[in-house]
Amino acid sequence: MEQNSVFKKYPLWFELLAGVIFGAVNSVLSTFFVDIKSPIFMDTIFAVTAAFVGWWSGLASVVVFDIMSILKTPPDLRFVVAFFPLCVLAMVVIVRLVYRKRDRVTFISLIFVYVLCWIFVSAIGAVVSTYAFSQFAYPDSYSIKYITMMFATQHIPLIFSAFLSRIPVNALDKLVAVFLGWGIYLLIEKFSRKAKLIQD
């Protein structure tokens, strides 16, 4: 299916191990940026890297990120928090599908992936957070919550307010995630070739 794509074939054990590590690192980064009250999330950089490594790597990173997100969340909010990693999953799927039949990665193609991630993640996050706001006392990111409430006071429906509030935040967050995630993957590919882990 991916014979003419940019994706290399890695051993299953390597994909799963990489996915677990990437998911854990994403969770730690996310917590750190929340703790310092950062206006951006920084929780999907390694999801992009995991997606380039493989489907199993990408999916494993999402599962680990989801589990860690749930464990570090108060019990009464765990149900809704479990849905936010759908944003991470969306990025994994976008990377895998966009490059499935491409034989190289170009600046333009990365911009295309970035725009798709920017829009889809903003939309998914808006849907989940709208449900969270309406059903739970969910303490969303300060910058996101402030902008959402600003739009909502102008009588814009909550779901659209939540979407619009995520547009500027994800514009920067996903730009960093896509390009830095790809850069990290290049380093991993270089290491893998030296270790002869890539199966040509």
Side-chain angles (χ1 to χ4, degrees):
M1 182 177 67
E2 297 174 351
Q3 291 180 349
N4 297 319
S5 75
V6 301
F7 298 125
K8 309 298 187 297
K9 188 174 181 180
Y10 294 86
L12 179 58
W13 68 265
F14 181 80
E15 281 199 38
L16 293 176
L17 177 61
V20 169
I21 294 173
F22 293 150
V25 173
N26 273 332
S27 180
V28 171
L29 278 178
S30 174
T31 300
F32 173 75
F33 278 90
V34 167
D35 289 344
I36 65 173
K37 301 187 184 306
S38 168
I40 54 179
F41 307 115
M42 291 292 99
D43 59 354
T44 53
I45 295 172
F46 287 90
V48 173
T49 305
F52 275 107
V53 172
W55 270 114
W56 287 111
S57 177
L59 295 176
S61 73
V62 175
V63 171
V64 171
F65 180 81
D66 198 4
I67 292 173
M68 292 184 67
S69 297
I70 292 171
L71 292 178
K72 65 186 179 184
T73 301
D76 57 327
L77 297 176
R78 286 178 177 172
F79 176 77
V80 70
V81 165
F83 289 99
F84 277 105
L86 288 174
C87 296
V88 186
L89 176 62
M91 294 189 68
V92 171
V93 172
I94 287 170
V95 169
R96 295 301 301 184
L97 293 183
V98 167
Y99 288 108
R100 183 168 62 92
K101 292 185 178 180
R102 294 172 184 258
D103 59 5
R104 63 196 180 101
V105 175
T106 64
F107 177 78
I108 296 300
S109 69
L110 285 173
I111 289 292
F112 179 57
V113 168
Y114 156 63
V115 171
L116 289 178
C117 289
W118 176 21
I119 299 302
F120 275 91
V121 170
S122 296
I124 294 170
V127 172
V128 176
S129 66
T130 297
Y131 175 70
F133 276 134
S134 61
Q135 301 294 328
F136 302 86
Y138 183 71
D140 210 342
S141 165
Y142 179 78
S143 60
I144 292 290
K145 191 170 185 177
Y146 176 79
I147 300 173
T148 299
M149 292 301 100
M150 182 181 69
F151 282 121
T153 57
Q154 302 303 312
H155 306 293
I156 298 175
L158 183 57
I159 189 168
F160 293 113
S161 296
F163 176 73
L164 292 173
S165 69
R166 280 167 163 75
I167 289 296
V169 175
N170 280 323
L172 176 58
D173 189 75
K174 302 318 168 196
L175 181 67
V176 174
V178 169
F179 282 88
L180 187 55
W182 165 243
I184 294 171
Y185 170 73
L186 289 179
L187 295 176
I188 292 173
E189 183 184 351
K190 184 177 181 180
F191 162 79
S192 299
R193 286 193 179 280
K194 289 183 178 180
K196 297 182 178 179
L197 290 174
I198 297 178
Q199 300 171 17
D200 294 320

